[in-house]
Amino acid sequence: MQRLLFSAIILFLSAVLFSQNRTVGTLNYTEDALEGYTFFSPFSGRSAYMVDNCGNLINRWEQGTFPGLAAYFLASGKMLRTYKVTPIGPFTSASNAGGVALVDWNNNTTWSYELNTDTELSHHDAVMMPNGNILLLTWELILSDELIENGRDPGEIAAQGYAWGERIIEIKPIGSNEVEIIWEWHIKDHWVQDQDATLNNFGVIKEHPELFNINFPGISFDYNHFNAIDYHEAFDQILISSRNTDEIWILDHSTTTAEAASHTGGNSGMGGDIMYRWGNGLVYEAASIGAQRFFGQHGAHWIKDGPDKDKILVFNNGNGRPGIDFSTVEILNPPILPDGNYEKVANDPYGPAATVWVYGNEPEQQFYSKFLSNAQYLENGNILINAGSPGNIFEINPDKEIVWEYEIPLFGDTPAMQGDNINNNSSFRAYKFPLDFKGFEGIDIMVRDPIEIDPIPLDLCQDDVSTATIAVDHEVEVICLIDHVYIQNNSQLTFQVKLFNSNGVLIKEFLSAPGRLSIPNGNLSSGLYFISFVNKQGLQFTKKVLF
């Protein structure tokens, strides 16, 4: 009688839960969406994930460290990931990293390297180059004496008595945890100042758009805050997003390290100076404040293929935009010349006057992500947009219609329950890969249940429910009594079992081998709980119990 009553309660709860609106996981999926797998690494979690269009889990990389901040799935089938360490030096940003690693599909770290000293720390982003080397963003500590010598106004030096100077290094991975530095670039070699003719770097700001004004108003100790780096092999150029000055920059990578520290050399003949910059001409006194175009942008990168190849895709966060804050995704077509340099009219800001494509500037398109975020041009012409702050990933077609949408169903590392009002699910980046992406070659893809607890399948996903999972689900029975829960496992499989409360908080974790397992529940408060079953073959299902 007790078991019959329990079954009736579970059926009632299922009906109630399935009548709820979808708030997490896949919210929208149409046939116009690219068939593929979406990869993301939540800002507040220690794992990276890959899901299909139905939200089914394809892989999870449990790393034990927080991201710092970027993660990529590569054509080699490995994940390139920056990660946080405890900084030795005075680097206090939420964008700290300190570590970078390569991790295989089965979550084995094949190489890692940490740059974390009292004067240096890696941060934000890293990018894999075609030659197997890695470009890494780093900060280096620059103390007051050196800042003053280079023309920084002493009255504007931060109270801490230092600045974080941007440094880019190209590293060659060696062995399992070593590197060789192949090339490097320092922002401090490319400063200009108009405060004191007796100090280094003196010049007229407007006459030197290729240099950075060390006294640009409003900067504290993190002058630039580079938050994205990309590399163009054919151009042999590097693209940078400088968030704190609301600009993107292009640098010449064809230089030697010595040339990169100078103003001559390389294909551009400019050494390590800024070849091109766009987004805020006020920084080099070539435009008024009203002409600013980028506002706290992220994720700048070259489009690799398609009709917009070699243009630059940028997530323009809109943080501080005049009027209301809203985000846009934009495509910029820089005026590149046949020799690889960029056209510029004297005393004017670099062109063009505006980006060539924008999403988010119409009332029906408006959305907002204050921080993080990126966009990706997909092979079918769609664009994937990661509104990173709210953890919302969506795909639009060429008509700017949303054809797929996914809300990251995690509170940090804890799965959310369908119907939850989600938070703490931000993600720095998200990327989507077609089913035939080279990185999947030789990998046995296993489709598992969605990350969220109690998922609600969409119409296009009804046929994706695993027959094997259904069969095993029926062979595992949960029996709830007054002081114990019994799991009767009539299958021949062993499962990792996790018990969650109704808020998605993990309560207990254990193994269930074939046979009966008794779980005391005397310390648990009454209410609805969820038991998740996962085995090594990727079979996964969830059962509800009421204590």
Side-chain angles (χ1 to χ4, degrees), residues 144-170:
S144 294
D145 288 348
E146 186 175 2
L147 292 171
I148 293 170
E149 180 181 314
N150 281 284
R152 176 68 167 164
D153 182 345
E156 295 298 324
I157 294 176
Q160 294 88 338
Y162 56 72
W164 300 349
E166 296 289 353
R167 173 183 178 233
I168 302 169
I169 58 174
E170 178 184 346

Side-chain angles (χ1 to χ4, degrees), residues 29-31 33-37 53 380 395 432-436:
Y29 174 22
T30 75
E31 293 179 349
L34 175 71
E35 289 302 318
Y37 303 134
N53 280 349
N380 65 349
E395 180 181 340
K432 193 171 191 179
F433 302 91
L435 301 178
D436 60 356

Side-chain angles (χ1 to χ4, degrees), residues 178-365:
E178 296 180 351
V179 302
E180 177 185 356
I181 296 179
I182 303 297
W183 179 90
E184 58 186 289
W185 175 95
H186 302 254
I187 182 62
K188 67 182 181 181
D189 296 322
H190 306 282
W191 282 335
V192 63
Q193 56 89 13
D194 61 0
Q195 303 281 310
D196 191 332
T198 67
L199 299 176
N200 296 336
N201 308 311
F202 183 75
V204 178
I205 306 300
K206 191 171 185 178
E207 293 177 0
H208 292 282
E210 76 281 6
L211 302 175
F212 177 68
N213 178 8
I214 191 176
N215 292 303
F216 180 66
I219 56 176
S220 179
F221 54 84
D222 182 8
Y223 292 176
N224 301 103
H225 197 85
F226 289 177
N227 61 22
I229 184 168
D230 194 27
Y231 176 69
H232 196 299
E233 183 180 23
F235 297 168
D236 203 4
Q237 295 173 4
I238 293 171
L239 174 64
I240 294 295
S241 169
S242 177
R243 182 189 180 276
N244 282 2
T245 58
D246 305 292
E247 301 178 280
I248 61 167
W249 297 356
I250 293 178
L251 308 174
D252 189 351
H253 175 264
S254 71
T255 57
T256 64
T257 293
E259 289 171 334
S262 75
H263 310 292
T264 60
N267 295 335
S268 66
M270 298 175 64
D273 287 346
I274 303 167
M275 297 179 64
Y276 175 77
R277 59 201 302 183
W278 201 89
N280 188 9
L282 180 67
V283 182
Y284 51 102
E285 299 184 357
S288 66
I289 191 170
Q292 182 175 336
R293 294 292 178 261
F294 285 157
F295 300 88
Q297 78 289 334
H298 284 75
H301 66 281
W302 278 288
I303 297 172
K304 302 300 189 289
D305 296 295
D308 290 308
K309 183 177 184 290
D310 298 334
K311 296 174 186 175
I312 295 172
L313 184 61
V314 180
F315 190 102
N316 190 2
N317 294 71
N319 186 358
R321 190 193 300 267
I324 64 169
D325 290 334
F326 64 93
S327 299
T328 51
V329 174
E330 307 188 33
I331 296 176
L332 174 68
N333 189 17
I336 190 166
L337 299 169
D339 64 359
N341 285 311
Y342 294 84
E343 182 180 10
K344 184 183 182 300
V345 176
N347 299 320
D348 287 346
Y350 280 97
T355 52
V356 297
W357 182 93
V358 181
Y359 174 85
N361 58 339
E362 299 295 334
E364 68 275 11
Q365 301 168 358

